[in-house]
Amino acid sequence: MYGYGGRASAFRPPAYPATLALSLALFGNSLIPIRTFQIALFLIMTASYVAVATGSFGPLAGVLTGWMFAIYPLFVFLSSEVATESLYMALEAVIFFLCVRTLITPYGRRQRAKTPLVVGVCCGVGTLTRPSMIFVFILALAAWGDVREGQNARSTLRAWPSFCLAVSV
C-alpha cells in the first residue's frame, strides 16, 4: 500500500501505516484523502523552513526557500507518493523550526517547558515513522543543554524532563 513500486518505504514503521489505516477507516477506500494529507505535510515542511530562512536571513531568503522547495523534483515526487518520508520530513522540519526558534529567541518560563514538549512529541512520532529520528532527539537534547548552559542549570533541568517524557509517550 505504501512505498515505491509496492515495496515498503521503511522497515516496519508503525506510525505511517496507522495514519493510512485511520484515513481509510474515516474516508473509505480512496487515495485522495491520503494524497491530500501528503500535500499538507509538504506544506508544513515548506512553511517551517521558510519561517527559519525568513527569520534568520530575511524575506528574500524565505521566498527563495519556498520556490526551491516548490520546484525541487524529489519534494514534488514525495508530496504525491504514499510513503513515510513525507511524515518524517514534516516532523523533522517542525523540530528544526522549534530548535532554531529556541536558540534565537528567549522564552518566558511557561514556554520553556512547552517547546521541548512539542519537540519531544515530534521526535517520538518521528521515531515511530523512522527509527533514525532518535538521533535527531539526541542532537536536539544536546542543543538544548548548550543553550540552557548559558542561563542557569535550573532552567535546563526543567526543560529536559518534559522533552524526555514526550519522546517516551
PDB file of all heavy atoms in Angstrom, residues 1 23 26 36 44 47 68 80 88 122:
ATOM      1  N   MET A   1       0.814  -1.195   0.000  1.00  0.00           N
ATOM      2  CA  MET A   1       0.000   0.000   0.000  1.00  0.00           C
ATOM      3  C   MET A   1       0.855   1.254   0.000  1.00  0.00           C
ATOM      4  O   MET A   1       0.527   2.230  -0.615  1.00  0.00           O
ATOM      5  CB  MET A   1      -0.920  -0.052   1.226  1.00  0.00           C
ATOM      6  CG  MET A   1      -1.724   1.175   1.474  1.00  0.00           C
ATOM      7  SD  MET A   1      -2.917   1.376   0.154  1.00  0.00           S
ATOM      8  CE  MET A   1      -3.306   3.071   0.307  1.00  0.00           C
ATOM      9  N   SER A  23      -7.042   6.982   7.920  1.00  0.00           N
ATOM     10  CA  SER A  23      -7.610   7.664   6.756  1.00  0.00           C
ATOM     11  C   SER A  23      -8.573   6.752   5.995  1.00  0.00           C
ATOM     12  O   SER A  23      -9.667   7.181   5.603  1.00  0.00           O
ATOM     13  CB  SER A  23      -6.498   8.138   5.821  1.00  0.00           C
ATOM     14  OG  SER A  23      -7.036   8.658   4.641  1.00  0.00           O
ATOM     15  N   LEU A  26     -11.788   6.364   8.052  1.00  0.00           N
ATOM     16  CA  LEU A  26     -12.629   7.554   8.093  1.00  0.00           C
ATOM     17  C   LEU A  26     -13.219   7.931   6.737  1.00  0.00           C
ATOM     18  O   LEU A  26     -14.377   8.342   6.650  1.00  0.00           O
ATOM     19  CB  LEU A  26     -11.830   8.750   8.635  1.00  0.00           C
ATOM     20  CG  LEU A  26     -11.437   8.711  10.095  1.00  0.00           C
ATOM     21  CD1 LEU A  26     -10.553   9.903  10.439  1.00  0.00           C
ATOM     22  CD2 LEU A  26     -12.668   8.692  10.980  1.00  0.00           C
ATOM     23  N   THR A  36      -3.980  14.144  -0.209  1.00  0.00           N
ATOM     24  CA  THR A  36      -4.194  15.486   0.344  1.00  0.00           C
ATOM     25  C   THR A  36      -3.393  15.663   1.624  1.00  0.00           C
ATOM     26  O   THR A  36      -2.795  16.719   1.859  1.00  0.00           O
ATOM     27  CB  THR A  36      -5.697  15.721   0.609  1.00  0.00           C
ATOM     28  OG1 THR A  36      -6.425  15.480  -0.590  1.00  0.00           O
ATOM     29  CG2 THR A  36      -5.960  17.120   1.099  1.00  0.00           C
ATOM     30  N   ILE A  44       3.520  21.933   5.433  1.00  0.00           N
ATOM     31  CA  ILE A  44       4.042  22.158   6.789  1.00  0.00           C
ATOM     32  C   ILE A  44       5.562  22.207   6.759  1.00  0.00           C
ATOM     33  O   ILE A  44       6.183  23.077   7.375  1.00  0.00           O
ATOM     34  CB  ILE A  44       3.538  21.061   7.748  1.00  0.00           C
ATOM     35  CG1 ILE A  44       2.046  21.242   8.004  1.00  0.00           C
ATOM     36  CG2 ILE A  44       4.315  21.065   9.057  1.00  0.00           C
ATOM     37  CD1 ILE A  44       1.394  20.073   8.704  1.00  0.00           C
ATOM     38  N   ALA A  47       6.646  25.480   5.002  1.00  0.00           N
ATOM     39  CA  ALA A  47       6.392  26.641   5.855  1.00  0.00           C
ATOM     40  C   ALA A  47       7.398  26.728   6.999  1.00  0.00           C
ATOM     41  O   ALA A  47       7.847  27.832   7.357  1.00  0.00           O
ATOM     42  CB  ALA A  47       4.970  26.591   6.398  1.00  0.00           C
ATOM     43  N   MET A  68      12.451  27.097  -4.007  1.00  0.00           N
ATOM     44  CA  MET A  68      13.312  25.916  -4.155  1.00  0.00           C
ATOM     45  C   MET A  68      12.584  24.646  -3.716  1.00  0.00           C
ATOM     46  O   MET A  68      12.706  23.606  -4.351  1.00  0.00           O
ATOM     47  CB  MET A  68      14.607  26.110  -3.376  1.00  0.00           C
ATOM     48  CG  MET A  68      15.536  27.123  -4.041  1.00  0.00           C
ATOM     49  SD  MET A  68      16.956  27.607  -3.060  1.00  0.00           S
ATOM     50  CE  MET A  68      17.720  26.071  -2.686  1.00  0.00           C
ATOM     51  N   SER A  80       3.481  13.554  -3.676  1.00  0.00           N
ATOM     52  CA  SER A  80       2.406  12.798  -4.308  1.00  0.00           C
ATOM     53  C   SER A  80       2.519  11.289  -4.062  1.00  0.00           C
ATOM     54  O   SER A  80       1.575  10.559  -4.283  1.00  0.00           O
ATOM     55  CB  SER A  80       2.407  13.059  -5.816  1.00  0.00           C
ATOM     56  OG  SER A  80       3.600  12.575  -6.391  1.00  0.00           O
ATOM     57  N   TYR A  88       7.859  11.957   8.043  1.00  0.00           N
ATOM     58  CA  TYR A  88       9.153  12.092   8.688  1.00  0.00           C
ATOM     59  C   TYR A  88       9.759  13.475   8.428  1.00  0.00           C
ATOM     60  O   TYR A  88      10.218  14.154   9.345  1.00  0.00           O
ATOM     61  CB  TYR A  88      10.094  10.992   8.184  1.00  0.00           C
ATOM     62  CG  TYR A  88      11.482  11.056   8.754  1.00  0.00           C
ATOM     63  CD1 TYR A  88      11.746  10.545  10.016  1.00  0.00           C
ATOM     64  CD2 TYR A  88      12.529  11.617   8.040  1.00  0.00           C
ATOM     65  CE1 TYR A  88      13.016  10.582  10.550  1.00  0.00           C
ATOM     66  CE2 TYR A  88      13.804  11.665   8.566  1.00  0.00           C
ATOM     67  CZ  TYR A  88      14.042  11.147   9.827  1.00  0.00           C
ATOM     68  OH  TYR A  88      15.299  11.198  10.354  1.00  0.00           O
ATOM     69  N   CYS A 122       7.205  15.400  18.630  1.00  0.00           N
ATOM     70  CA  CYS A 122       7.588  15.242  17.216  1.00  0.00           C
ATOM     71  C   CYS A 122       8.681  14.185  17.066  1.00  0.00           C
ATOM     72  O   CYS A 122       8.640  13.377  16.136  1.00  0.00           O
ATOM     73  CB  CYS A 122       8.058  16.569  16.632  1.00  0.00           C
ATOM     74  SG  CYS A 122       6.734  17.756  16.360  1.00  0.00           S
TER      75      CYS A 122
END
